[in-house]
Amino acid sequence: MNHALPKNESVNIIRNGGVNKKFYITTPLYYVNSAPHIGHSYTNIAADVLARFHRQLGEDVYFLTGTDEHGQKIAKSAQDAGLSEKVFADKMVSVFIELWKSLDISYDDFIRTTEERHILTVKNALNTLYENEDIYLESYEGWYCTPCETFWTDLQVQSAGLCPDCLRPVEKLSEKNFFFRLSKYQGWLIGYIENHRDFIKPLSRYNEVLSFLKRYKLNDLCISRPRARLGWGIDIPFSKEHVTYVWFDALINYISAVGFSYDEAKFKRYWPADLHLIGKDILRQHAIYWPIILRALNLEPPKMIFAHGWWMTGQDKMSKSRGNVIDPLRLVKEYGIDGYRYFLLRDVPFGLDGNFSDEAIIKRKNSDLANDLGNLVHRSLTMVEKYLSGRLPQARELAQSQLKEDSDNLAADVGMAIQRIDFTAALDKIWLIINQANKFIEETKPWNLLKEKKSEEMDSFILLLVEIIKNVSSALSSFMPSTTKNIQEQFSGPIIKKGIPLFPRT
Ligand code: MSP
């Protein structure tokens, strides 16, 4: 895949990057048991914006996404579809890949947990942990939730006999399994988190993990499943009777994709990851299990884990099991790729939950996109056509004004907000300029400049507008890649000609 920015695109952002800096960003691996919905697309769109932004800074970006293909959930769905697990997974993977294409997701690598490079790495990691006696065999009895593939204690299940996560019935299971010594590293993890304030974001999640770790003693993690009960998993190299628990398998993807155990140079280049972007539902696995697994393997933890909120319908999390999912492809068809991308990152501060509704997206599209941005571009192009016969005036030094200053600072302001992973603040800044520019047109009354034959003023007026639009479009390009490319093209020919409106009203 070629994700390079167009050569001539002006990279108008604070250059705090540089070719030697790398940026390794990951999304969760999505379960292939069902088709992706808004929630899955949210993580990938956010990761895509960050990846594009860091590429714009000139960094060597490695953007990883992929699919989680082992475990009971997938085995069950394959069985229901009358297919083998692998054939079923192959089919579903193409649905994910198609969706990412439709959403302009510029990933550099797509990892499947059924790939050889991953299986090899999982076995390698298991062997190391086993040799170091961080893994041991023990009989275990507990309440098991099949859909969540999680054991719960009496206390967690309580008298209702329901899974505390998904509220479905659990069953009592007793079996011999391999356990990973999470508890041994609890003290280390607490210290690490205390000394690294940016390790878990946002702050509310940082506090949540830290207070959990301080309040409860960690149980060791069951990392195997008996083959007799569940065969669809990676073989445990030191036991014929067991396969690997799907969560242990899946987390390892973050190192298997960048070469751990088979490409030392690549691994050295990209590990530790700069950012694991996840939803808050999988914080425990990423902020507790994963750093401890890495520690036991003598590897560095990722630099940052950011957990975003949930898209809800009404009071409920959007999820397949709740039957309230919305297909992103329908939204792309109705509101355009960039309309959809913009809405997800603008409407709800990243980190909080948000309510999805068609009304909300229509409102954003008609007001922010069609009215504000679309109008600014359209009116400016119209004026160049009408007042200047489509020719941009000769470039010249423009007089200082508050608007010019704000526009000059836009790249830096937006850059800082994106570095903080605060998408709404970045977009707010951009829209502030767009709205100021629209006001500037109304206040300047260019039709009067024309009547009074003030051609110098007219030229400066148009040049400032064009400069603002270029800055806006550069700052917006990670969020709305195809719209901003379109804007840049409309302003780049020798004769400026306006195309069809960017955002037809819905
Ligand atoms: N396979 C595991 C992750 C393994 S990562 C090593 C998994 N998969 S999942 O398909 O169930 O969900 C993955 C992610 O999708 C969630 O963490 C979250 O990023 C996103 N979302 C799923 N539903 C969501 C919402 N309703 N809202 C926002 N994002 C949510 O868990």
Side-chain angles (χ1 to χ4, degrees), residues 4-166:
L5 285 168
K7 282 247 162 21
N8 60 355
E9 182 168 333
S10 62
V11 177
N12 198 4
I13 296 194
I14 28 160
R15 285 210 161 260
N16 68 345
V19 274
N20 275 324
K21 199 166 166 200
K22 62 91 186 171
F23 184 72
Y24 176 27
I25 178 169
T26 68
T27 73
L29 296 195
Y30 302 100
Y31 286 128
V32 289
N33 62 320
S34 58
H37 60 71
I38 294 182
H40 307 118
S41 75
Y42 187 44
T43 325
N44 273 36
I45 289 171
D48 184 62
V49 170
L50 292 168
R52 285 175 187 272
F53 170 77
H54 283 268
R55 285 190 201 110
Q56 231 181 356
L57 292 178
E59 294 177 18
D60 170 12
V61 170
Y62 200 92
F63 171 12
L64 175 72
T65 190
T67 42
D68 193 350
E69 305 186 11
H70 290 122
Q72 193 141 350
K73 252 196 243 271
I74 284 90
K76 167 102 178 43
S77 300
Q79 197 183 24
D80 291 348
L83 297 169
S84 74
E85 290 92 347
K86 183 62 172 42
V87 170
F88 175 77
D90 289 348
K91 234 176 97 179
M92 293 303 291
V93 164
S94 61
V95 177
F96 279 86
I97 289 180
E98 275 311 303
L99 176 64
W100 303 149
K101 218 188 274 170
S102 314
L103 293 175
D104 270 346
I105 305 299
S106 64
Y107 57 82
D108 300 289
D109 191 0
F110 188 105
I111 189 159
R112 301 181 53 179
T113 54
T114 47
E115 277 174 58
E116 207 42 56
R117 61 173 167 162
H118 177 70
I119 295 172
L120 192 86
T121 307
V122 170
K123 289 185 177 170
N124 187 305
L126 284 169
N127 276 332
T128 306
L129 299 176
Y130 192 58
E131 280 158 22
N132 294 345
E133 296 180 7
D134 276 326
I135 288 178
Y136 62 92
L137 186 66
E138 198 175 85
S139 287
Y140 182 77
E141 189 178 78
W143 295 103
Y144 190 69
C145 174
T146 305
C148 295
E149 298 193 34
T150 306
F151 274 105
W152 301 105
T153 60
D154 282 345
L155 194 71
Q156 288 166 315
V157 164
Q158 295 184 334
S159 57
L162 298 178
C163 166
D165 245 11
C166 73

Side-chain angles (χ1 to χ4, degrees), residues 27-34 37-44 67-69 73-74 96 113 246-247 249-254 277-283 285-286 308-313 316-320 324 353-354:
T27 73
L29 296 195
Y30 302 100
Y31 286 128
V32 289
N33 62 320
S34 58
H37 60 71
I38 294 182
H40 307 118
S41 75
Y42 187 44
T43 325
N44 273 36
T67 42
D68 193 350
E69 305 186 11
K73 252 196 243 271
I74 284 90
F96 279 86
T113 54
V246 66
W247 261 108
D249 157 358
L251 287 165
I252 296 284
N253 93 86
Y254 300 129
L277 203 59
I278 58 167
K280 66 177 185 181
D281 44 339
I282 52 177
L283 183 60
Q285 291 87 341
H286 283 81
H308 64 67
W310 284 342
W311 282 97
M312 320 274 283
T313 22
D316 291 324
K317 179 191 176 203
M318 197 180 286
S319 76
K320 168 87 189 305
N324 59 359
D353 292 348

